[in-house]
Amino acid sequence: MTKKEILKNIENNLGDKTSLGQGCKENQYFLLVRDKRDIKEVMRYLFKDLGARMNIMTGVDGRDSVEVLYHMSWDKVGLMVTVKAFAEKPFPSIDSVTDVIIGAKWIEREIYELFDVKFKGHPELIPLLRSDTRPADYFPFKREVKEKHPTIREKEKGTKEK
Amino acid sequence: MAKIIPTGPYHPILEEPEFFKFHVEGETITRIDMTIGYSHRGIELLSESKTWDQVTFLVERICGICSFSHPYAYCLAVENLCCIEVPDRAKYIRAIIAELERLHSHLLWMGLAGHFIGYNTVFMWVWKYREIVLDSLEMTTGNRNHYANIKPGGVRRDFEDYMIPQLEKWMDELEPKLEMLVNVVMDDPVLHARLKGVGVLTYQQAIDYCATGPTARGSGVDIDNRRDFPFDAYPLLDWDVITMNEGDVFAKTAVRLLENIESLKIIRQSLKKMKPGPIEVEIKEVPPGEAIGVYEAPRGETIHYIRSDGSNMPIRHKVRAPSYMNILTNEVSCVGAALADGGLITAAHDPCYSCTERMAAVRREDPDNVINSKELARLSREKTKEIAGEYPGNDVIKDQEGK
Amino acid sequence: MSIFMKALKKSPWVFHVNAAACNNCDIEILDCLTPRFDVERFGIKLVGSIKHADALLVSGGVSSNTLPRVLELYEQAPKPVLVIAIGACGASGGIFRDAYNMVGPIDHYLPVDVYIPGCPPRPEAIIAGVVKALGKL
């Protein structure tokens, strides 16, 4: 399939749940999922039917919700599509995609450990990188916790000369 | 100076906490448990308080072996966000240093794998040839590792005129040694018996676990970021992607050895095609937005994601090293293998050195008797000796034992 | 007899532990064994167990996961033992000093005898540092 055919298939089959937009580089696209409950179906379509490969997932902490990004790529044609879903605060949660893509097991554990996002249906949701001496309820990337870190505090106050 | 007495759960027998724990029945592995996170340092949070230029020095120190891959992927991400292209001379300089680093990394792995299965001569010889590569890097960038030569918009230091004939001379010296390594491994019957059919990862498993790099290419998945997402000098040069179909440890070794020859081709072509000119483009400001940079490191695909709000520091920087996806494939490739091969299979996809040290095995009938990594290494070397005994006329083994 | 000859006669055995380092110092330590630098002709050997070692090489700024392990190793080592901190991370925490998972450089927890700075230090520097430390034994 060529790049144009893949993008056309995405628009035709997922157009009612998502919206597609182009990024800064001409082969990087962003797919916004309007309702987070559709995420499993979107991922199943991209992974099984269109044959994408998942690179990684990312979490970004916003004001009202945590954005969960899924980076997918098609190597034969050189196309990258990033799927965005929003998990609303105060108790962010989203469906897990591990029964579609087995390779997502570890990254979902890491996003849970850093951002406190619950992935429903994950076989073993325990922290991946934690140690015995760091407290279990310390989520380093949550906005409230991050703002207290000394390097971020200096940046906000503007004391470091840049 | 304060002293802290350690408290909390700690296993009294082992010196090191478990990293890979094999569950065995008899001599066959049935399951593997993995715990990681010992080198977790919190780099992504530090990135948010450094300017766009300073982040390059921070990401270099994520891993010492692939110390050019992470800054390269990061600089590609920033250049994608700003929509700029670097000048030609910078493209060729980047390609030369990147391929020299790939050579050094594959030779390092070869030496450690040889040491693990008992071929100590291979370890010493291969690390001696690796010194030629490190000399070339020191002459061109100033340091044997951590080159600090790349920045968003180009490179920081140019090549002088005397470096090009010296590099060509060193590459000519290295070529027969690399070909000798390829022939030794492909023809040795003991290595065939030891590595073939061990730790097989099938094509469908490689796709389901999203493996990358030589781990995936050894199972028949034809992916290589230098060809699929073209950037810089790679579309202007002539080279091939190596794949094998069997998926065992021998296939992964063969992929790495043949990739060395391709790297040599790329370096030679770049040295010839390089012309005088500027080496950088100035970036005045980074616009708001988000972008992704992908690069093919020696171990697989490195991907960096950045998000900017128009200020002089990133607001989110996500890093993913290739071993993250590849280590997970151990779950399926270790099952059913003999205990003496367990350490070899976990090392075959080339994780960072400090990870492969931490291994332990637990017998199901006797869970308190834990076998640690020194014992596993000894079992592996004994198996090689046993196989070598079946080939009495093998001159390679005799020479190595004599040396 | 000069200090250098006295040091050569001692042939110390070293044990290396990686406390959340980037691996670069570790491969420079392994480089010392290879034919170009060949530290085994002095009798210096890398051993597998802390109970046989005269010197403990620590690389990396210490993270909270590895701190209990390093302290336990120091308790198990037969005294007298030299502690040598390798690299910029061993001396001061390096570029990762402020990260949330790092609990400080090794000299906040153990008595360090010699610091070998560099990022990474060359194999010649590591050999010189170990020989200098022997004068303290």
Side-chain angles (χ1 to χ4, degrees), chain A residues 23-25 27-28 30 47-48 52-61 67 69 71 73-80 82 84 100-110 114-115 128-130 132-134 140-141 146 149 151-152 155 160 162, chain B residues 7 9 34-37 40 44-46 48-51 54 80-83 207-212 222-225 228-230 288-294 301 303 305 307 311-320 323-325 327-328 331:
Chain A
C24 306
K25 187 139 163 101
N27 62 352
Q28 292 179 6
F30 291 87
F47 189 69
K48 294 249 151 73
R53 170 174 70 98
M54 187 177 89
N55 298 75
I56 199 62
M57 286 162 56
T58 305
V60 185
D61 204 5
E67 274 181 57
L69 308 172
H71 303 284
S73 66
W74 282 264
D75 304 292
K76 295 256 175 326
V77 297
L79 173 69
M80 289 197 72
T82 302
K84 280 197 195 196
V100 180
I101 308 176
I102 309 179
K105 272 208 269 196
W106 273 6
I107 184 64
E108 290 189 345
R109 280 169 67 183
E110 185 179 327
L114 297 175
F115 291 88
L128 184 73
L129 304 164
R130 70 169 267 218
D132 296 331
T133 49
R134 211 163 75 218
F141 275 75
K146 196 165 72 164
H149 194 265
T151 50
I152 306 288
K155 165 186 163 185
K160 274 196 171 177
K162 295 274 183 217
Chain B
T7 53
M34 297 182 269
T35 31
I36 63 169
H40 180 60
E44 295 176 10
L45 194 66
L46 281 182
E48 299 187 15
S49 59
K50 301 211 181 303
T51 58
Q54 291 174 335
N80 285 345
L81 184 58
C82 304
C83 299
I207 293 198
D208 282 336
Y209 279 84
C210 307
T212 61
D222 186 17
I223 49 173
D224 187 329
N225 281 340
D228 300 328
F229 297 94
E290 44 193 344
I292 298 173
V294 284
E301 174 196 52
I303 175 168
Y305 165 82
R307 184 183 280 207
S311 66
N312 65 347
M313 298 184 205
I315 54 172
R316 179 75 174 106
H317 179 199
K318 167 77 184 163
V319 175
R320 190 220 72 176
S323 297
Y324 200 79
M325 311 301 273
I327 294 184
L328 202 53
E331 270 186 4

Side-chain angles (χ1 to χ4, degrees), chain B residues 319-379:
Chain B
V319 175
R320 190 220 72 176
S323 297
Y324 200 79
M325 311 301 273
N326 289 340
I327 294 184
L328 202 53
T329 63
N330 281 334
E331 270 186 4
V332 282
S333 53
C334 278
V335 171
L339 185 59
D341 294 330
L344 189 61
I345 301 173
T346 51
H349 60 74
D350 199 4
C352 280
Y353 173 74
S354 56
C355 305
T356 43
E357 283 198 298
R358 305 183 181 109
M359 289 186 283
V362 172
R363 280 195 200 278
R364 188 200 274 239
E365 312 84 59
D366 188 9
D368 292 327
N369 178 16
V370 180
I371 313 171
N372 68 3
S373 62
K374 298 297 158 206
E375 187 65 21
L376 283 172
R378 190 186 63 84
L379 283 172

